[in-house]
Amino acid sequence: MTVKNIFETMDYGPAPESAADALAWIADQGATFGQFINGEWTRARKDFQSKNPANGETLADLSQATLDEVNAAVKAARKAQPSWQKQGGHERAKRLYAIARLMQKNSRLFAVLETLDNGKPIRESRDIDIPLVQRHFYYHAGMAQLLDNERPNVQALGVCGQIIPWNFPLLMLAWKVAPALATGNTVVLKPAEYTSLTALLFAHICNQAGVPNGVVNIVTGDGLVGEMITAHNDIDKIAFTGSTDVGRKIRKSTAGSGKSLTLELGGKSPYIVFDDADVDSAIEGLVDAIWLNQGQVCCAGSRLLVQEGIAERFHTKLKSRMDGLKLGNPLDKCIDVGAVVDPVQLQTITDMVSTNTEGETYHANVDIPREGCFYPPTLITGLESSARLMQEEIFGPVLVSTTFRTPSEAIALANNTRYGLAASVWTENINLALGIAPKLVAGVVWVNATNLFDAAAGFGGVRESGFGREGGWEGLSNYTKSKHTTKPQKKITSFGGKSGHNDQLDRTAKMYIGGKQVRPDGGYSKDIYGKSGALLGQVPIANRKDLRNAVEASQAAKGWSETTGHLRAQILYYIAENLSARRAEFASRLNELTGTSAGAREVDTAIKRIFTYAAWADKYDGLAHAVPIRGVALAMKEPVGVIGAFCPNEAPLLGLVSVMAPAIAMGNRAILIASEPFPLAATDFYQVLDTSDVPGGVVNILTGSHAQLAAPLAGHLDVDAVWSFSSDELASVIEFESAGNLKRTWVNNNAVSDWYSAAGEGHDFLEAATEIKNIWVPYGE
């Protein structure tokens, strides 16, 4: 081919990267690998093979970890963890820095090995994945150095079980291992069955970097090994990236175990193009959004929403661009789209597209290699939002598309999914872009860009895309816990007495739903007695119907989430003012209910606590992350939505206030299940809410059995989070039932909190009451 031909056709010859060094490294290990446990390698076995998806050739033989090997890895991690944490942030920083430097020195080896094992183009491994891996270890070396001073009240969780997918094998390892090690945890990591080789090379790097034995352990195998890790009783945290179906199973299997859990799951991310967008730039962005890594990306912009006026022109230009993409040997630096990871995944993609009967399917006019797992870039237009391929994750190089007319319709279409991982917005109108971004249900929003990642900016989703963040300070918090000491909770029961009338006027309490006092659907009530046996009153017993009514009222109060922090603060101050005016009355009632003399202290602390969260309402700010682009990543703190909470039994007023105030201060709506033995404090308190300008539905108060309401509240698909500080053992039920829509949970695991101390308020509550959305805004010409 001549230079003239190149300029006329823009058709370049092959530019293959040599695989010699990577293959030599595999050969040096005997092309057979065991497990990496306690700094050493176990005896290698030929249990399954790692193959090159581009040509089907076997790269190495791998060992399926046994239960004994998983137990040994966990034991080694447990033994190493205390000393690793005790070394302090500076010593951990040195080890993380050494890992980063060694990965830089071996960057080409890692890149080639990743491409051989995964099938992604070498340009992506070399220019995206490996530099980001290095960045994560450098960044978290700095985090380790700063942690002791910046977060003195937190400590490591302990042993972390980490399960990573095959689409970004080494990058997902870095996302999980770096923060875990920085915070003093030790890890047992399982790479994906298809793509284990770079994780095994990383194990060699850990030894070279002087990471103490047992701090990093790597076990290989299929999903059975993952099940062994998630079920292990001596693991304190599970971090999983993978499919939503598997994530739901993990949520159920770990329910009630006390394990911390983060899930980064599937997505069906919208790619929204307005009619004023730079069309050529939007199309180039779309190439990266959907055909990066053959579309095997959880946040791939796989749902194209294009404004109706430019749709025909946009699709025509997009098809032309698709025809120019090159498929082939992933080691060729001229290749745009490599091989799908495995024949099983290729068949899944093929079946989903071939069985689709809706819309118009266009396969790119490209040459497809005869061998290997290759699928052409594909566009399916004219789909309804309800179409199967618009709703289900394909996880391949397939883009589906529909049109919209107005910005409000674009938002509705974008949010019409069970997922909530990422979104892209393309428009030259920055006002429109920044007006749309907060309304999109997604953990990450890119403006005039796509697939921007950095260690400083947290990544993660909402809804069925999972919970928790990876990266930044928000990601680091998923690997720490408070140093506050706790003690086992004792079940608190109601006082008994003789049924009958008290000498006061009958004022049978009602529930508080939608800003109104409401009788129970079931028509049943419960007598409440004081310590002396005197009848103090009756409260309703809430059932499922009452709970549904409270959820409906909360959903109808969505406007509260859009109010300003200043307004929410004013209302909280007003609540505190009105409670203060009735201080003596509430103190007397609490003494009567609990049989103690601490009522005045509880009321005074409750008033102070409301003041605290009123102060935070307009001060719990987001961050502008310093990411390495010409632009900014804005970490916006948003309300979770509807939070259902089981209030502490032991502090009937203070506990309710300590749960309610942070929730509504951050813009959430709350469904509060009052203290079961002492509910009259809560039913008195809604009278304060009635006189404090709290909009109907923002706070709803139910009384009744915690145990009976736990499952329906946690299982309700229109509830976004459930907290439990009950003395009943509800953790297992709540976490299991929450798997339906993968809502966030915060449970006390039967440990009692000191509601009068710093443990009863502060950042833990604010973090639980907010989601972080990172909005990336590049700027400049």
Side-chain angles (χ1 to χ4, degrees):
M1 180 178 290
T2 65
V3 173
K4 181 175 182 293
N5 287 338
I6 290 173
F7 277 106
E8 287 178 348
T9 65
M10 295 304 290
D11 190 14
Y12 291 85
E17 176 76 35
S18 172
D21 286 348
L23 295 174
W25 177 81
I26 294 173
D28 287 345
Q29 316 310 312
T32 309
F33 294 85
Q35 318 299 332
F36 182 69
I37 298 173
N38 202 31
E40 298 180 348
W41 295 91
T42 64
R43 183 179 62 84
R45 302 182 298 273
K46 297 183 179 182
D47 294 330
F48 64 98
Q49 295 177 325
S50 179
K51 294 186 176 183
N52 183 343
N55 55 27
E57 293 179 357
T58 298
L59 296 170
D61 290 297
L62 299 165
S63 302
Q64 169 84 2
T66 65
L67 180 58
D68 286 343
E69 289 171 330
V70 171
N71 287 338
V74 175
K75 183 178 180 181
R78 176 60 64 196
K79 182 179 179 181
Q81 195 275 323
S83 61
W84 176 244
Q85 178 172 261
K86 192 175 180 180
Q87 283 186 17
H90 177 61
E91 291 301 316
R92 296 196 298 272
K94 289 195 294 185
R95 300 282 77 79
L96 287 164
Y97 172 77
I99 291 173
R101 289 288 291 128
L102 286 166
M103 298 201 78
Q104 275 189 316
K105 293 177 181 179
N106 294 278
S107 61
R108 192 55 63 95
L109 174 60
F110 272 107
V112 174
L113 191 61
E114 191 83 319
T115 289
L116 285 172
D117 206 19
N118 171 272
K120 66 177 61 186
I122 185 64
R123 288 188 297 119
E124 294 177 11
S125 298
R126 180 195 64 196
D127 299 339
I128 300 174
D129 291 29
I130 307 306
L132 266 174
V133 169
Q134 298 160 11
R135 163 73 172 152
H136 271 268
F137 281 102
Y138 275 124
Y139 179 85
H140 284 95
M143 284 295 208
Q145 182 70 32
L146 298 174
L147 191 65
D148 291 343
N149 289 330
E150 295 300 313
R151 296 289 190 272
N153 295 321
V154 301
Q155 60 186 341
L157 292 171
V159 176
C160 300
Q162 302 178 326
I163 303 168
I164 59 176
W166 44 258
N167 55 342
F168 290 93
L170 192 63
L171 183 56
M172 294 297 100
L173 177 151
W175 281 18
K176 289 177 170 54
V177 171
L181 267 54
T183 47
N185 299 281
T186 54
V187 304
V188 177
L189 179 136
K190 189 196 90 68
E193 181 183 4
Y194 297 153
T195 54
S196 301
L197 294 183
T198 48
L200 299 172
L201 176 56
F202 176 77
H204 283 272
I205 293 294
C206 287
N207 274 346
Q208 294 175 40
V211 176
N213 292 345
V215 170
V216 174
N217 305 273
I218 296 175
V219 292
T220 56
D222 59 17
L224 293 175
V225 180
E227 291 177 14
M228 294 176 196
I229 291 173
T230 58
H232 204 289
N233 291 330
D234 207 22
I235 285 179
D236 304 293
K237 177 185 176 64
I238 298 295
F240 172 78
T241 297
S243 73
T244 296
D245 288 343
V246 175
R248 187 174 283 111
K249 291 177 182 177
I250 290 174
R251 169 71 287 179
K252 289 182 176 181
S253 69
T254 59
S257 66
K259 291 183 175 73
S260 174
L261 179 64
T262 52
L263 300 174
E264 198 268 280
L265 308 174
K268 196 69 178 177
S269 300
Y271 190 96
I272 308 168
V273 183
F274 287 92
D275 57 10
D276 67 342
D278 180 334
V279 170
D280 291 332
S281 294
I283 286 175
E284 287 306 307
L286 191 52
V287 169
D288 285 338
I290 183 59
W291 292 301
L292 175 79
N293 198 21
Q294 299 71 252
Q296 300 168 132
V297 183
C298 53
C299 58
S302 56
R303 262 191 315 146
L304 172 61
L305 311 179
V306 58
Q307 199 154 16
E308 197 171 86
I310 62 167
E312 185 175 353
R313 178 165 66 97
F314 190 92
H315 288 145
T316 299
K317 296 192 77 168
L318 177 59
K319 290 174 183 177
S320 176
R321 182 67 179 89
M322 290 167 62
D323 291 345
L325 295 173
K326 283 180 168 286
L327 273 71
N329 176 13
L331 284 174
D332 186 344
K333 291 183 277 289
C334 294
I335 289 301
D336 300 304
V337 181
V340 172
V341 71
D342 187 84
V344 173
Q345 182 63 18
L346 177 62
Q347 190 62 50
T348 298
I349 298 166
T350 303
D351 290 346
M352 290 187 75
V353 175
S354 63
T355 57
N356 174 61
T357 58
E358 302 177 74
E360 179 182 324
T361 300
Y362 180 79
H363 296 293
N365 185 19
V366 295
D367 294 329
I368 302 176
R370 293 184 177 179
E371 65 174 0
C373 300
F374 292 91
Y375 194 87
T378 300
L379 169 66
I380 305 175
T381 56
L383 293 177
E384 297 293 333
S385 185
S386 59
R388 178 192 176 207
L389 296 188
M390 287 288 286
Q391 294 293 326
E392 293 188 18
E393 190 175 30
I394 303 172
F395 222 65
V398 181
L399 175 67
V400 296
S401 179
T402 192
T403 62
F404 66 90
R405 291 184 178 180
T406 65
S408 59
E409 185 183 4
I411 295 167
L413 289 170
N415 293 339
N416 183 19
T417 173
R418 59 195 175 103
Y419 299 109
L421 190 53
S424 294
V425 180
W426 290 79
T427 172
E428 292 297 285
N429 183 342
I430 191 64
N431 292 321
L432 176 62
L434 295 181
I436 292 284
K439 298 174 183 176
L440 298 175
V441 181
V444 181
V445 178
W446 296 294
V447 175
N448 292 332
T450 191
N451 282 340
L452 297 177
F453 308 101
D454 186 64
F459 180 86
V462 295
R463 290 181 173 172
E464 294 188 30
S465 290
F467 46 79
R469 295 292 181 267
E470 296 183 296
W473 284 105
E474 57 263 45
L476 208 70
S477 69
N478 288 308
Y479 285 93
T480 61
K481 62 182 179 181
S482 172
K483 286 182 178 178
H484 296 306
T485 58
T486 59
K487 56 185 179 180
Q489 181 92 279
K490 294 181 180 178
K491 184 170 177 61
I492 299 173
T493 58
S494 305
F495 294 124
K498 294 182 179 179
S499 60
H501 294 285
N502 55 24
D503 295 330
Q504 302 172 1
L505 179 68
D506 181 21
R507 294 189 298 174
T508 302
K510 299 183 180 68
M511 293 179 296
Y512 190 65
I513 297 175
K516 299 177 181 179
Q517 298 183 36
V518 178
R519 297 184 187 278
D521 173 74
Y524 290 98
S525 61
K526 175 184 176 181
D527 291 338
I528 303 298
Y529 299 95
K531 188 174 183 179
S532 66
L535 180 65
L536 302 180
Q538 292 84 28
V539 294
I541 300 176
N543 63 16
R544 290 171 178 265
K545 180 62 167 31
D546 299 311
L547 184 59
R548 289 200 300 270
N549 292 339
V551 174
E552 289 177 6
S554 296
Q555 290 291 345
K558 286 182 178 179
W560 179 251
S561 298
E562 299 172 5
T563 58
T564 65
H566 173 66
L567 175 63
R568 297 195 295 271
Q570 284 183 296
I571 290 176
L572 281 161
Y573 283 129
Y574 198 12
I575 294 172
E577 179 183 351
N578 286 331
L579 179 59
S580 180
R582 298 175 60 179
R583 175 183 180 275
E585 175 191 342
F586 272 87
S588 175
R589 173 68 106 176
L590 288 168
N591 290 339
E592 214 177 20
L593 281 168
T594 61
T596 69
S597 58
R601 182 190 180 205
E602 182 167 347
V603 177
D604 289 343
T605 308
I607 293 168
K608 291 178 183 177
R609 190 135 300 162
I610 298 171
F611 262 74
T612 294
Y613 290 113
W616 274 119
D618 57 359
K619 298 176 186 66
Y620 191 55
D621 298 325
L623 296 170
H625 289 308
V627 291
I629 64 167
R630 280 209 309 163
V632 63
L634 303 174
M636 311 296 291
K637 292 178 178 176
E638 299 182 337
V640 173
V642 176
I643 297 176
F646 292 90
C647 299
N649 286 333
E650 65 273 18
L653 177 65
L654 177 57
L656 181 142
V657 162
S658 297
V659 171
M660 177 204 74
I664 67 172
M666 294 298 103
N668 300 284
R669 293 89 70 198
I671 300 170
L672 308 175
I673 314 301
S675 167
E676 189 171 342
F678 312 124
L680 290 173
T683 58
D684 287 352
F685 183 72
Y686 66 57
Q687 300 167 18
V688 174
L689 299 178
D690 263 341
T691 58
S692 302
D693 293 343
V694 179
V698 171
V699 178
N700 304 273
I701 298 175
L702 305 182
T703 53
S705 166
H706 288 191
Q708 291 180 13
L709 292 173
L713 180 57
H716 202 296
L717 298 182
D718 283 335
V719 174
D720 301 295
V722 175
W723 302 350
S724 175
F725 302 98
S726 175
S727 61
D728 285 11
E729 295 184 12
L730 305 180
S732 179
V733 171
I734 288 173
E735 291 179 339
F736 186 89
E737 295 295 336
S738 72
N741 65 345
L742 288 167
K743 60 174 63 69
R744 292 173 58 173
T745 60
W746 185 19
V747 296
N748 62 358
N749 289 306
N750 208 35
V752 67
S753 297
D754 181 357
W755 294 101
Y756 292 93
S757 73
E761 67 176 15
H763 279 263
D764 288 349
F765 289 83
L766 295 170
E767 287 182 11
T770 53
E771 291 280 12
I772 295 181
K773 175 184 289 182
N774 277 282
I775 302 175
W776 291 69
V777 188
Y779 51 69
E781 293 293 329

